[in-house]
Amino acid sequence: MAASWGLLALAVGAAVGGAQARASSLTVQGDDRSAFLVEPFCFGRGGSMNIKISDFRLSRGGKALTPVNVGLLIRKTEGPAYSVSSMMDLNEAGCLLNTKKPNDVVIAISGSNTSYTHQIDANGKGLYSILYSNCNFGSKASFQIDYTLMNRDGVFISEGEVPLPLVYAAASLGFLLAFAYWVHLLRTSSSPIHKIQYLMGVLCFFKAASVGFEAFRYQSLKIYGDGYAWATLFHILTFVKGTMLFAVILLIGTGWSIMKPFLADREKRIILIVLPMQVLVNVAMVIVDETPPGTAGWMTWRDILHFFDGDLIV
């Protein structure tokens, strides 16, 4: 058991360490994609972006190529940045650099190192997507991109996420009050108390704690652009909460503790099969959600894991 917790902490730590919110870096090795989304961000007035590409290399068939018709496209977008349709549009657009719109900004990559800085004015506020495009089809690119996306007054989170620390803190307080009220009901109840009711109370406490750590995480991201420590605690508690929620649903469905004090062999087998699968999916979802969206296969794995997460519950 201790080894399992250690592996979980290492996995979460490694995942969070590679994606520090809006002060991030992405390393690409031998990538043959013609286009992909690097990062979306919602800017308000006075926001800024600083992008640095280093050690850029382009090759085809093992032969080095001079970087031509390759770069970043900064586009103001409408609607969800992660929608399936927007990802399909990227893959079907051909050379994305040739689809430049009037307000798009193209950052051409012509050497191993490229930098770009931009300030958002009052008319430019909105949701932006940083897109990578390689129009040398069949070639592979390797590089590292470091970017800092910031709103006015040194705020490192998107404009729409600014109220989230307060919202999550209020939600955490609400769940904590619900937990206290549930404990009060159990202590003062004249009816027999079932074990599953104690588990439901513990589940409510873990929910309050996980949402509270999410509030601290967003506050840390907002101020410093780095929520590593809080993110690790949040994901560990979310993992425990998710596993407990699934276990409680299974136990309630079997009638354990309320209708019967034991589990049948068939019910035990179902729990022993389904619960470890849910744990594995939860750990994988943590890693994928904390990985930069520009990572190869990010969209595919995200959709697959969300499908299995819902399918296991059903």
Side-chain angles (χ1 to χ4, degrees), residues 51-119:
I51 303 172
K52 180 181 178 182
I53 298 173
S54 56
D55 197 23
F56 186 88
R57 303 184 305 277
L58 192 66
S59 63
R60 181 186 288 119
K63 182 179 179 181
L65 301 176
T66 301
V68 178
N69 292 328
V70 59
L72 298 179
L73 182 68
I74 300 175
R75 172 170 291 174
K76 191 174 181 180
T77 57
E78 302 291 341
Y82 292 146
S83 67
V84 175
S85 60
S86 65
M87 296 299 105
M88 292 177 63
D89 290 342
L90 285 182
N91 294 329
E92 297 173 357
C95 180
L96 192 62
L97 298 178
N98 294 334
T99 66
K100 182 178 180 297
K101 298 178 180 180
N103 295 324
D104 289 350
V105 175
V106 175
I107 307 172
I109 301 175
S110 57
S112 60
N113 299 307
T114 303
S115 298
Y116 175 77
T117 301
H118 180 65
Q119 195 81 15

Side-chain angles (χ1 to χ4, degrees), residues 262-276:
F262 59 88
L263 293 174
D265 290 339
R266 179 175 176 274
E267 294 166 345
K268 290 179 181 179
R269 286 195 298 269
I270 292 175
I271 292 176
L272 290 175
I273 293 173
V274 176
L275 194 58

Side-chain angles (χ1 to χ4, degrees), residues 8-286:
L8 173 63
L10 287 173
V12 173
V16 177
Q20 293 304 322
R22 304 305 186 248
S24 305
S25 65
L26 172 65
T27 300
V28 176
Q29 292 290 339
D31 198 316
D32 59 356
R33 288 177 291 174
S34 60
F36 61 80
L37 174 68
V38 176
E39 185 82 40
F41 193 82
C42 186
F43 288 99
R45 180 181 178 182
S48 63
M49 63 176 75
N50 296 281
I51 303 172
K52 180 181 178 182
I53 298 173
S54 56
D55 197 23
F56 186 88
R57 303 184 305 277
L58 192 66
S59 63
R60 181 186 288 119
K63 182 179 179 181
L65 301 176
T66 301
V68 178
N69 292 328
V70 59
L72 298 179
L73 182 68
I74 300 175
R75 172 170 291 174
K76 191 174 181 180
T77 57
E78 302 291 341
Y82 292 146
S83 67
V84 175
S85 60
S86 65
M87 296 299 105
M88 292 177 63
D89 290 342
L90 285 182
N91 294 329
E92 297 173 357
C95 180
L96 192 62
L97 298 178
N98 294 334
T99 66
K100 182 178 180 297
K101 298 178 180 180
N103 295 324
D104 289 350
V105 175
V106 175
I107 307 172
I109 301 175
S110 57
S112 60
N113 299 307
T114 303
S115 298
Y116 175 77
T117 301
H118 180 65
Q119 195 81 15
I120 307 297
D121 57 26
N123 297 324
K125 60 182 181 180
L127 176 64
Y128 286 79
S129 292
I130 302 174
L131 306 166
Y132 166 81
S133 177
N134 178 9
C135 299
N136 301 277
F137 301 113
S139 64
K140 296 182 178 180
S142 299
F143 60 93
Q144 177 169 319
I145 176 171
D146 300 286
Y147 50 94
T148 301
L149 310 176
M150 183 187 304
N151 271 306
R152 186 172 53 181
D153 299 327
V155 175
F156 285 89
I157 57 178
S158 286
E159 184 80 358
E161 296 175 339
V162 171
L164 285 183
L166 182 59
V167 172
Y168 280 122
S172 177
L173 179 61
F175 280 112
L176 197 59
L177 291 175
F179 167 72
Y181 182 66
W182 184 256
V183 171
H184 170 73
L185 289 178
L186 295 181
R187 288 174 60 89
T188 58
S189 176
S190 58
S191 303
I193 305 301
H194 300 282
K195 293 179 181 179
I196 192 68
Q197 292 173 311
Y198 289 112
L199 286 178
M200 291 167 67
V202 174
L203 175 61
C204 188
F205 173 79
F206 274 110
K207 178 64 177 178
S210 64
V211 176
F213 281 125
E214 181 75 330
F216 284 117
R217 182 172 82 102
Y218 267 99
Q219 184 65 19
S220 181
L221 288 174
K222 179 180 177 180
I223 299 174
Y224 307 110
D226 183 352
Y228 172 75
W230 294 114
T232 303
L233 294 171
F234 163 73
H235 284 301
I236 290 175
L237 283 175
T238 299
F239 166 80
V240 176
K241 183 264 300 178
T243 304
M244 282 196 64
L245 173 62
F246 195 76
V248 167
I249 292 174
L250 282 176
L251 292 173
I252 291 176
T254 61
W256 176 79
S257 179
I258 296 177
M259 299 177 62
K260 56 186 179 182
F262 59 88
L263 293 174
D265 290 339
R266 179 175 176 274
E267 294 166 345
K268 290 179 181 179
R269 286 195 298 269
I270 292 175
I271 292 176
L272 290 175
I273 293 173
V274 176
L275 194 58
M277 291 178 62
Q278 182 68 28
V279 170
L280 182 62
V281 169
N282 284 349
V283 173
M285 285 177 64
V286 168

